Structures are given as C-alpha cells and as structure tokens.
Amino acid sequence: MSQRNERILWTSLLLVFTFLCIWFRFPDYFRTPNSKVIEPWGDGYKTYMAFVYHVKYDSTYSHLQAMNYPYGEHVIPGDAQPALSNIVKFISQNIIDISDYYRGIIHFSMLSSLLLCSLFLYLIFRKLDIAPWYAIPVAIALTFMAPQTERMAAHYGLAYPALLPMILYFLMRLEEQWQWKYSVFIALTVWFFSGLHFYYFAILVFTITGYFFFSWMQKRDWQNWLRYALHYGIQVIIPLIFFIFWIFVNDPVTDRPEKPWGYFAHRARWEGVFLSMTQPMYQWVHEHWIKIREVNSESHIYVGLVAFIASIIFAFRLLRHLFRKPPFHFESEHRTWLNASFYMAVAILLFSFGLPFTIKGLEKLLDYTGPLQQFRSIGRFAWVFYYVINIIVFASLYHWGMRAARWRTALMGFALAILVYESGTFTKSLDLRLDEVEEDAPGKSYNQIPNLNDYQGILPIPYYNIGSDNLWWRQSGFMGQKSATLAMQTGLPTTAAMLTRTSISQTFNQVQLIVEPYRRPKILDDFPNDKPLLLAFDSIRVKEYPGKYTQFPVGLPLVYERGELRLYKLPLSSFEMYIEQRKQQIAKDLDSLKLQPFDAFLTTGNVQDFAYQSWDDQKVQQRYLGSGGFESRAKDRTVLFDNNIPAQQPGGYIISTWMFMNKDLYPRTKFDIVEYNPVDGSEVQHMTWEVKDLIQTIDNNGWVLIELGLDLHNPQNKLRITVFNEELGKAPLFFDELLIRPFNTHLYRKNDDMIWYDNRWWSLR
C-alpha cells in the first residue's frame, strides 16, 4: 500500500472512530437535532434566542435587536455567533430558508468541532512521528476531555475545541516551510472563531504572539525579522483591523465599562488545572484525605493525571537546568515548534493564574495594563496549556516507551489507559442531554396570541439585566426562558439583557422602567413609537422580590395567561400615571393623616424617632436637594453616620440616602454598616453591601436612591455607616439627604414648591 493510501486509511479510521464516539455520547442530538435544547433556562437558551433572532428578524448583519430594546447591541457582544449566524442569515435570505433549523445548526457545529479537534490533534501527532495506532486513541481521548466541551452546557460560543489544535498545527507547518498559505489559514481561523466568540481572539493572539516570540528567541534570526513581521501581520494584525472597524469604529456607545468585574475571581487555579472532581480518585481524596478547594467553572481546565505527573517532572528538570533547555527529551525535526509551544503555553498558564497581579501588593499594577483589564475570565487562557502539555507529554511517552525495555512500553500503554478512562469519566459527568421547551408543543406557541403587532417590545418581570458590570439584575430561569421564547417566536425584542460590556447609561435607562416609579423614564423618549410594551409577568417568582415591582400589573389589561405566566398590555403612559398616582396619594395623606411636627417634618410617629442629615452646610460640586451635600474620596473609608438614632428602639429601620452615580464603577461602591456596643466597641452585627444591590429608584440627573432595611438589637448600641470604593481611587463620591427611620414611621414635608415623602420629592410647579 502506498504511503498516500495508508495516510488516507488511518485518517479515515480516525474520523470514523471519532464520529462513532460522538454518536454514542450524544445520541439524542441525532434523534432530535432541532426540536430540543441543551440548556433551557439560562445562558444557553439566551444563545439560541440571540442566534435565531439575528437570523430571522434583524435588518443588518452587524446589529442585534433581540435584547436591550430599543438600543440593541452589536452582534459580537450580543453572543449571536455572527460567523455562523450570518452565514445562515445570508442563505435564508438569498437561497433557501433554513432559519427554522437553527438548533440543529448550533448543535452540529459544536459536534463538528469535536471531529475537527480530533483530526488536527492526530495530524500533529503524526508530524511528531507517532504511530497511528497510538495517535488515534490519544487524539480522541484528548478531544473529549478538552475543557471547551464543558461549555456545551451553556456557553455555546466557547464550545469549539478545534481552534487551538488548528492553530498549533498551522504554526507547525509554518515552521516547516514559511509559506504564505499557512499564515492565511491561521488568519482565517482567527477571524472565523473570533466571530463565534470574541474571547477566542484574545486567546489566539496570545498564542500566536507567544509562539512567535519564543520561536524567534531560539533562533535569534535578525536577518529574517521582516519575514516574522509580515507573517505575524497577516495572522494577527489584519484580523485585528477588521474587528476594530467592524465593532469599534462605528460604535455609538461611548460609556462601556472600562474595568469589567471578574479578573481576580475568574482566573485559573492550580486545583482546577491539575485536579478534577469529575474523577473518582479525587473525589475519594476529597472525602477521606484532604479537602480539595472548590473552584469556579472558569478554573475547570483539567489536564489529566498523566500530564499532571509529567508537569511535576518537567518543573524539576527546568529548575535543575535553570531554564536553559526544555525539560523533555526526544528527537524531532519539529524541535523548534515543540520548544516554542511549550514555553508559550507555560507563559500563558501563568497569565491565566492572574500573575503577577495576584501577588499581594501588586494588584494595582493591573490599572496600568490597558486592554488587559477587559479580560474578565482569564482562566480560559489556560486552555492553551491543556493542549500543548498533553501533546508534548504523550509524544514524549511514545518515543520513550518504544525503546527496547518492555516495561517502558507497558508504562506507555498504562498512561494511555489512564487518559482514556479519565476522558470517559469526564465527558460522562457533563449533563448535555437535550430538553424540551413547553412552547414548542403543538398549540402552545406564542404565535397564536392575537394582535402581537400592537406591541413594540417585551418587559419581563422579574426583570434581568446582565452585562454592564455596574448594575446586576440576575435572571430568573422561568422568566428568562419565557421572554426569550416570546422573542424567538414573535420577533418582539426584550428590554432585558444578557450581554457583555453593555452601555452604562443605557442600562440605567432600562432599569428606570422597573424600579420604584419616581421620574418619567428617559427611555420613553428613545422608543421609536408609542406602541405599548408587552409585560411578561411571573406571578409566582415575583414574590421572591418583596418590595419590588409593586406597581405591576395593577390596572393593566390581561392579554394572555398560562400557568404562572401572565401577559399584560403596558401603555407607555402608565409610567407617568404611576408617578402621578403616587403624588396624589401623598398629598391625600398630608390632608387626612394625623401627623406630628418635628423640626421641618411631619411624621406618623409620636416622638422624633428618626435621624436626618441634609449636609446643607457643606458646599460640594454635586448636590441633590438643598444647598449642600457630602463629598468623600472613594478609596478612603469615610463615615456617613456614627451615632444613636433618637428614641432608638430594637426593631426594623430603613436607611436611605441619595448617591451620584452616573459613571463606571460607582455602583460598586460599598456600604459598610456596623451596629456596635459603644462601651467596649464590640460588634453586634456587621454587613457590607454594594450599592448596586440597594438601588430603590433613579432620578434623571444621575442621582440614585440607596435604601436598605436592618434590625437593631439594643437601644444603647450605635450605628456606624461607612462608604468606600477602592477601585475608584481618588475620585470623589457624592451623597446627599441621609435618612434613618423606623420601618413603620413615615415622614412628610410640603411647601409651595414641592412635596417630600421618606426621602423622595416631587415638584408642585
């Protein structure tokens, strides 16, 4: 048999075996590819919605209108996987409509990536002179244990394991022959996968840059620096220019968050890289020997037991040789590729751990790293290490084990058995079964609701809004699914959002629709027409948010009802009506209630049992009401209040104050509240809140009412309220109108210009 035919035979066997493994692991994907979903409640279902909405309803290839209505978002942060959805959109609009097969397209695109991952790993092993009978099972096992397969449970845009083996293979071929076609292949890979999820762009740029650096460091080939630069330009700079122009140049949003939350939280941990609770051995160790620290999903990058042991050996060898030569020993014509890939992967692994910024005292250096601050989930960068360390380890084992001694061959086979076992255990631990969605059943589609063209968008309650990294309204699974299904089936966009790097001002405008009615929401002027909104109301789970959403759905016409879901017609005029009704009720209370005067206030209490601070004697740049306010430096722990409350009694109190927060990071300001014994200073209770979790209502001038309740225990105890925001450094914080009152005591004020109630005010002019 010729070498060519032999290559075709072995490659065909690899593809057949991989396909069979995929078939047995994901049988329901082949039985019901388009009628069920992997994850029906959270991030995964949102991805289905973004994909199909973009294909069916968006008017352009760049903008997603499904969420954050009426503003929408670019398809990249919108998680619409535009590299794939735009292909489906083009075919559906110009050739044949395949948009209704979007679920199957998403599912099989991920399964196809498993097939490609196995193929390119196999091609790499063959280039390293590993026999097909060994390369095939190693490639398949590494594919099914790849960390991206876990993302099939929710983050579909990240569930494509093929990209890194493809890049590594093309870099290997480029190292063989510096031909332009390999750089073009790399550029196309970077472009396509970055269009599935933009985190891939960062990961691949780090990979390519690290490889070029360590490859050049081995050769120090100054004469060919231009060749390196040109190839690097094709692979990285051209895709970068494309994305800069496509995403950023015409971006109307000017207030995206500069420091997304999560850099220090979503990093790799050594427990997640070298240990895994998906393996029975580590479960036994955790239960009977030593507790293994739990890590979040971004740290799940398990490299396997064989690679773990090899990494320890490699580390000792590196230290013994003082990093002057690589720690693995087998001859290969691809020595430069092996060395450069190894050092590149180790460097990226250290970065995924957050180094050097996680070293105590060096955290603030991150503030000077520019774009690095945008990487919220740096643990994903450790994916590079997973592939490189396993490629090198199993290539080394093969060449070492194929020497004369039989025990070496046996050990090589034992290592392969461990890998296959761990791969099977890992993939079985993932719940990737397909689930049904109620509205897919005959007769239950929302399309059957009459007159849906009378509405312009959906307002879900309980509300959710994730992506600004300033305000964070978590999604209720039920309402997330129902509102997304409404959007997919009817084409009505939702005002809610599950996005990334969302405009801060747009998010405030959205949230103003659902907080306590106070001022006419700014967003009403941004809606394109006067059509009502469709209020999607969960009558059961809304009870989990006491004191919120109380204005809904009183007085609204019921449009549709099934189970706990209610759909109401919400005219835009309702928002002003809520405000007017509130003013009228307060005016009525002022005339009808028996109120006691204390200082400038009228109260429902019989004694002055409240504390009030206007700070009108302090001149500041920003004030909310009166002639003054309170200003502090953000990084300082500044005390707003430290005293007893007049006529203080055990029981519930409400603390409220206005805070100016129209910029990035301000909602992350912390309120530190301590009840303490003034005699010995001992703490009775201590709570710390971020103000984003305490927003009661929003004014139109950048001021937000912060309100929280707490129980005091002893009349003699004091209450200390401290504010700080270390992320803002020396920037000023502004507060105004601090009020602390018993839960059942209400305060009123009235003059010719305004009425005032419990730290809110309305103009009478």
Side-chain angles (χ1 to χ4, degrees):
M1 183 183 296
S2 66
Q3 289 186 346
R4 179 176 180 275
N5 290 337
E6 185 178 0
R7 287 198 303 269
I8 293 174
L9 174 62
W10 283 110
T11 304
S12 300
L13 286 174
L14 166 86
L15 295 176
V16 169
F17 288 144
T18 305
F19 178 79
L20 290 174
C21 290
I22 293 172
W23 179 285
F24 286 115
R25 175 62 184 87
F26 303 98
D28 47 347
Y29 289 59
F30 293 90
R31 288 195 300 264
T32 55
N34 202 59
S35 59
K36 296 182 180 180
V37 299
I38 303 174
E39 199 274 325
W41 301 109
D43 281 338
Y45 200 67
K46 179 266 300 187
T47 304
Y48 290 114
M49 186 262 277
F51 189 101
V52 70
Y53 195 100
H54 181 58
V55 170
K56 285 190 171 186
Y57 306 114
D58 285 334
S59 58
T60 74
Y61 288 89
S62 299
H63 197 73
L64 176 69
Q65 194 67 17
M67 294 173 280
N68 195 34
Y69 178 77
Y71 309 110
E73 185 55 278
H74 193 280
V75 288
I76 288 287
D79 203 16
Q81 300 187 54
L84 185 60
S85 62
N86 277 339
I87 293 174
V88 178
K89 186 179 182 71
F90 178 84
I91 294 173
S92 297
Q93 291 181 347
N94 298 281
I95 304 174
I96 184 173
D97 188 0
I98 59 173
S99 60
D100 287 336
Y101 299 96
Y102 67 93
R103 290 178 182 173
I105 293 170
I106 292 173
H107 297 161
F108 281 105
S109 67
M110 292 186 288
L111 297 185
S112 298
S113 186
L114 291 173
L115 195 67
L116 286 174
C117 179
S118 176
L119 173 62
F120 279 92
L121 284 172
Y122 171 78
L123 293 176
I124 291 172
F125 285 129
R126 293 295 290 129
K127 282 288 182 182
L128 295 175
D129 297 321
I130 297 175
W133 60 266
Y134 190 77
I136 288 176
V138 173
I140 296 174
L142 289 177
T143 294
F144 279 86
M145 201 170 72
Q148 293 102 310
T149 58
E150 186 175 359
R151 300 311 177 117
M152 290 180 66
H155 300 138
Y156 307 147
L158 292 170
Y160 292 88
L163 82 159
L164 283 166
M166 289 174 68
I167 291 294
L168 292 171
Y169 176 74
F170 290 136
L171 287 173
M172 174 185 277
R173 298 305 305 271
L174 183 69
E175 197 68 59
E176 285 180 338
Q177 295 178 314
W178 284 78
Q179 296 182 5
W180 299 110
K181 65 179 181 180
Y182 296 122
S183 285
V184 172
F185 291 155
I186 291 172
L188 291 174
T189 304
V190 171
W191 171 80
F192 180 79
F193 282 98
S194 299
L196 294 174
H197 199 290
F198 202 59
Y199 242 96
Y200 287 150
F201 184 80
I203 294 171
L204 294 180
V205 167
F206 269 58
T207 301
I208 295 167
T209 304
Y211 179 83
F212 267 67
F213 174 77
F214 288 108
S215 173
W216 183 86
M217 285 294 291
Q218 292 179 77
K219 303 172 184 177
R220 306 292 177 91
D221 189 0
W222 290 100
Q223 292 182 342
N224 290 316
W225 69 268
L226 183 59
R227 182 179 67 178
Y228 272 82
L230 291 175
H231 281 277
Y232 184 83
I234 293 173
Q235 297 174 23
V236 173
I237 304 303
I238 291 178
L240 175 62
I241 292 172
F242 169 81
F243 285 112
I244 287 176
F245 276 92
W246 192 40
I247 301 175
F248 303 111
V249 169
N250 296 316
D251 186 8
V253 178
T254 58
D255 61 342
R256 297 189 185 277
E258 296 181 1
K259 295 182 180 181
W261 179 85
Y263 185 94
F264 293 104
H266 295 155
R267 58 189 177 91
R269 313 272 181 164
W270 72 267
E271 296 96 334
V273 175
F274 298 112
L275 310 176
S276 175
M277 294 302 291
T278 66
Q279 304 301 323
M281 179 185 69
Y282 297 118
Q283 295 172 11
W284 184 89
V285 170
H286 179 74
E287 293 171 2
H288 298 95
W289 188 13
I290 186 172
K291 295 296 181 182
I292 298 174
R293 182 174 59 172
E294 184 179 354
V295 296
N296 63 42
S297 60
E298 298 294 350
S299 299
H300 294 174
I301 314 106
Y302 180 53
V303 298
L305 178 61
V306 177
F308 177 25
I309 295 172
S311 296
I312 296 173
I313 297 172
F314 286 176
F316 278 112
R317 287 180 176 175
L318 281 172
L319 292 173
R320 186 177 66 183
H321 296 295
L322 300 177
F323 296 88
R324 286 178 295 190
K325 62 179 183 178
F328 45 89
H329 307 295
F330 70 92
E331 294 301 322
S332 173
E333 61 181 304
H334 299 286
R335 192 72 183 178
T336 299
W337 179 88
L338 285 165
N339 294 344
S341 297
F342 174 76
Y343 288 117
M344 170 269 294
V346 171
I348 293 177
L349 177 67
L350 296 177
F351 171 75
S352 74
F353 286 141
L355 296 172
F357 311 110
T358 51
I359 299 174
K360 188 175 182 179
L362 300 183
E363 299 89 347
K364 287 297 180 181
L365 291 179
L366 184 63
D367 295 340
Y368 304 98
T369 59
L372 286 185
Q373 300 174 80
Q374 289 290 321
F375 299 150
R376 180 169 58 192
S377 302
I378 57 173
R380 298 169 185 172
F381 286 80
W383 296 347
V384 181
F385 182 77
Y386 168 83
Y387 292 101
V388 172
I389 192 65
N390 276 292
I391 289 170
I392 292 175
V393 166
F394 282 94
S396 299
L397 274 171
Y398 174 81
H399 288 287
W400 177 79
M402 292 303 291
R403 296 176 184 175
R406 291 184 179 180
W407 67 270
R408 292 187 176 186
T409 305
L411 189 60
M412 178 189 74
F414 183 60
L416 175 60
I418 291 175
L419 174 65
V420 171
Y421 172 78
E422 286 192 312
S423 178
T425 304
F426 172 79
T427 190
K428 287 179 182 178
S429 71
L430 305 177
D431 185 3
L432 301 175
R433 294 168 295 177
L434 297 183
D435 295 315
E436 294 180 344
V437 175
E438 181 183 11
E439 286 71 29
D440 290 335
K444 292 188 176 182
S445 171
Y446 293 128
N447 278 322
Q448 300 176 359
I449 302 174
N451 303 320
L452 286 179
N453 289 333
D454 294 342
Y455 302 90
Q456 62 173 309
I458 304 164
L459 178 62
I461 300 296
Y463 183 71
Y464 57 94
N465 196 305
I466 299 172
S468 71
D469 289 290
N470 281 265
L471 303 185
W472 196 280
W473 296 68
R474 295 188 180 276
Q475 183 200 64
S476 162
F478 177 87
M479 183 48 64
Q481 184 198 86
K482 302 311 174 187
S483 59
T485 305
L486 265 168
M488 285 189 281
Q489 293 183 350
T490 68
L492 289 176
T494 175
T495 61
M498 292 184 68
L499 299 166
T500 182
R501 315 299 191 271
T502 318
S503 162
I504 298 166
S505 61
Q506 290 177 6
T507 303
F508 270 97
N509 291 350
Q510 296 285 11
V511 171
Q512 200 178 17
L513 288 172
I514 53 89
V515 294
E516 175 189 310
Y518 186 61
R519 298 286 187 260
R520 182 180 185 274
K522 286 183 177 181
I523 199 172
L524 297 183
D525 296 326
D526 296 329
F527 285 130
N529 55 61
D530 295 329
K531 286 184 177 182
L533 296 173
L534 187 65
L535 180 72
F537 191 82
D538 181 352
S539 60
I540 299 298
R541 291 159 192 85
V542 74
K543 298 174 184 177
E544 300 173 5
Y545 303 86
K548 295 183 181 295
Y549 314 121
T550 55
Q551 67 271 38
F552 305 118
V554 179
L556 299 178
L558 181 64
V559 175
Y560 174 87
E561 177 179 3
R562 186 167 71 225
E564 56 263 59
L565 179 67
R566 312 282 194 275
L567 300 181
Y568 296 91
K569 179 180 180 180
L570 178 60
L572 300 188
S573 59
S574 300
F575 296 98
E576 293 179 274
M577 180 189 69
Y578 295 143
I579 299 168
E580 188 59 32
Q581 288 176 344
R582 189 84 184 280
K583 289 170 60 177
Q584 292 177 5
Q585 182 61 49
I586 293 169
K588 181 180 178 181
D589 291 344
L590 280 165
D591 294 334
S592 61
L593 296 178
K594 293 182 179 180
L595 303 174
Q596 300 297 322
F598 292 103
D599 294 332
F601 299 95
L602 298 171
T603 84
T604 56
N606 295 320
V607 296
Q608 184 173 344
D609 53 1
F610 61 89
Y612 170 74
Q613 177 61 265
S614 68
W615 293 301
D616 282 345
D617 58 336
Q618 300 185 32
K619 303 302 179 183
V620 293
Q621 294 179 352
Q622 298 287 346
R623 57 186 175 84
Y624 181 66
L625 190 64
S627 58
F630 185 89
E631 179 180 350
S632 66
R633 192 165 62 168
K635 69 176 184 178
D636 297 336
R637 300 181 69 91
T638 305
V639 175
L640 289 182
F641 182 87
D642 189 358
N643 212 331
N644 296 98
I645 301 167
Q648 180 173 309
Q649 295 295 325
Y653 280 78
I654 301 293
I655 301 172
S656 66
T657 187
W658 287 89
M659 178 181 174
F660 189 71
M661 60 165 74
N662 67 336
K663 294 181 180 179
D664 190 20
L665 300 179
Y666 278 78
R668 295 193 216 167
T669 300
K670 292 181 172 60
F671 263 42
D672 195 69
I673 300 175
V674 178
E675 180 186 356
Y676 68 96
N677 186 325
V679 177
D680 59 11
S682 60
E683 293 184 356
V684 178
Q685 61 175 324
H686 188 170
M687 299 178 294
T688 301
W689 299 81
E690 286 192 350
V691 298
K692 67 179 177 62
D693 300 318
L694 304 174
I695 293 174
Q696 183 66 23
T697 194
I698 300 172
D699 208 329
N700 287 333
N701 54 6
W703 287 86
V704 172
L705 180 65
I706 306 302
E707 193 166 86
L708 72 151
L710 78 160
D711 289 326
L712 296 180
H713 294 80
N714 191 305
Q716 305 305 317
N717 290 342
K718 287 188 174 183
L719 186 68
R720 181 169 61 243
I721 304 173
T722 307
V723 295
F724 61 97
N725 188 327
E726 295 177 352
E727 293 180 282
L728 283 172
K730 297 180 181 179
L733 298 177
F734 297 100
F735 298 90
D736 204 353
E737 304 294 306
L738 174 68
L739 175 66
I740 308 174
R741 61 179 178 85
F743 183 79
N744 292 320
T745 295
H746 300 283
L747 283 74
Y748 299 80
R749 287 161 58 187
K750 182 179 181 180
N751 56 36
D752 293 337
D753 297 325
M754 72 169 188
I755 55 173
W756 187 100
Y757 169 76
D758 286 352
N759 222 356
R760 292 96 163 146
W761 71 274
W762 295 267
S763 174
L764 294 177
R765 293 185 175 182

